Amino acid sequence: MTRFITTLALFAIIALASFAQAAPLDRTLVVDAVQQAATRNLPETVVSVEVHNVVLRGQLDVPEGAAVSVRIRAAGDEDWVGRMSASALVQADGKQIGSVPITAEVAPYIEVPVLRLPISRGQAIGAEHLSAGRREAGSLPAGIVREAESLLGRVARKDLGLNQVVRASDLEKAVDARRNRSVTLLLQRGQLKIVAPGVLRRDAMIGDLVQVLSVTTRSLVYGTLVSPDLVLLPTVATASSASQSLRSQAPSSDSNAALAAYSENQ
């Protein structure tokens, strides 16, 4: 009987010693490992990530005093955005001791242009109005403008507030030249070039047939916008086709007559 009690006591001592030498896996190690893995697996456009709600779906004890490391292995179809499932592979002193299934929420942050100054309706956006800000990718509204260069010179169609991201729908339609812009009228026939000042009558893109008020003759002429500041007037040979294309937009006076009057006055 004494020998049996002694044996039980020995087993109890060994069990207690084993229990004392092991501890549950530190959750912080798993969180850090998820953050590192998410940063590696997301595009370069992601500047930082935040990891939330990491849940260990099992328990793994690790030896006390051992150098513990954790590596995250996600399923092949995980995109590392939002809620994800993975396995935490645990090593102690360089040896694999087990794995624990986990779930986590990954929030990637990207850099986008934001307004450092408020913008009023009808105001053009300049470089001085913009700054770089970090926003959670999943919370961004649809249609935001991602590149600051794409905002320069664009006109706000409504008031925009400080630190606000800008959507395409917040802006007037992009044009190369706006109504009332001063342009140069160019009429070229062979080696002869005639230039005169004009004012654009409506917003236009390069390549559009446009209506221009000639400052010199105070008459309306028609031509092609070849750059934001230059309108090429048609020669007599092409004026008829230009007039036909613009007939729905032209005033009652004939565009060919306006062109002829413009040329004669030069």
Side-chain angles (χ1 to χ4, degrees):
M1 184 67 177
T2 302
R3 181 179 297 178
F4 178 73
I5 294 174
T6 302
T7 303
L8 286 177
L10 181 60
F11 275 115
I13 291 171
I14 294 173
L16 288 172
S18 299
F19 180 78
Q21 294 174 3
L25 176 64
D26 185 354
R27 179 178 172 277
T28 304
L29 293 175
V30 179
V31 174
D32 291 343
V34 173
Q35 180 139 359
Q36 293 172 14
T39 302
R40 288 195 305 268
N41 285 280
L42 287 168
E44 293 180 356
T45 51
V46 175
V47 294
S48 63
V49 297
E50 287 185 0
V51 176
H52 306 282
N53 301 325
V54 175
V55 178
L56 279 63
R57 301 295 180 180
Q59 184 171 341
L60 180 66
D61 291 336
V62 297
E64 280 193 351
V68 179
S69 62
V70 178
R71 183 167 60 91
I72 303 300
R73 182 175 64 192
D77 59 350
E78 288 287 358
D79 57 10
W80 294 90
V81 175
R83 188 173 179 82
M84 60 166 294
S85 300
S87 296
L89 309 180
V90 184
Q91 289 187 341
D93 293 330
K95 296 181 179 180
Q96 182 86 27
I97 63 171
S99 65
V100 181
I102 66 167
T103 57
E105 293 180 7
V106 178
Y109 283 74
I110 61 175
E111 196 168 87
V112 294
V114 298
L115 294 175
R116 61 186 299 181
L117 297 169
I119 294 288
S120 301
R121 177 183 178 184
Q123 185 178 358
I125 298 175
E128 69 277 10
H129 299 120
L130 300 174
S131 182
R134 293 186 178 186
R135 295 289 188 274
E136 184 181 344
S139 66
L140 288 171
I144 69 160
V145 180
R146 293 282 304 275
E147 302 296 333
E149 292 78 7
S150 301
L151 290 172
L152 298 179
R154 298 293 298 276
V155 175
R157 63 185 303 179
K158 64 179 184 179
D159 293 341
L160 301 174
L162 177 68
N163 206 34
Q164 181 176 334
V165 296
V166 182
R167 298 173 298 178
S169 59
D170 296 330
L171 305 169
E172 297 287 357
K173 181 181 177 182
V175 294
D176 294 315
R178 293 201 171 274
R179 179 184 179 186
N180 294 328
R181 183 184 181 94
S182 295
V183 295
T184 297
L185 296 166
L186 171 62
L187 180 65
Q188 185 171 358
R189 293 178 180 174
Q191 299 298 317
L192 177 64
K193 291 184 179 180
I194 302 174
V195 296
V199 178
L200 203 61
R201 294 301 301 271
R202 57 171 59 89
D203 296 345
M205 301 289 290
I206 290 175
D208 287 351
L209 293 170
V210 295
Q211 184 186 70
V212 182
L213 174 66
S214 169
V215 174
T216 305
T217 64
R218 308 306 298 174
S219 60
L220 294 175
V221 295
Y222 301 87
T224 302
L225 186 71
V226 295
S227 79
D229 302 306
L230 181 64
V231 174
L232 180 63
L233 298 175
T235 61
V236 172
T238 60
S240 178
S241 60
S243 177
Q244 291 295 326
S245 299
L246 284 168
R247 182 170 295 170
S248 61
Q249 303 175 29
S252 57
S253 60
D254 182 74
S255 62
N256 287 331
L259 281 168
Y262 169 77
S263 300
E264 291 171 3
N265 278 281
Q266 299 305 306

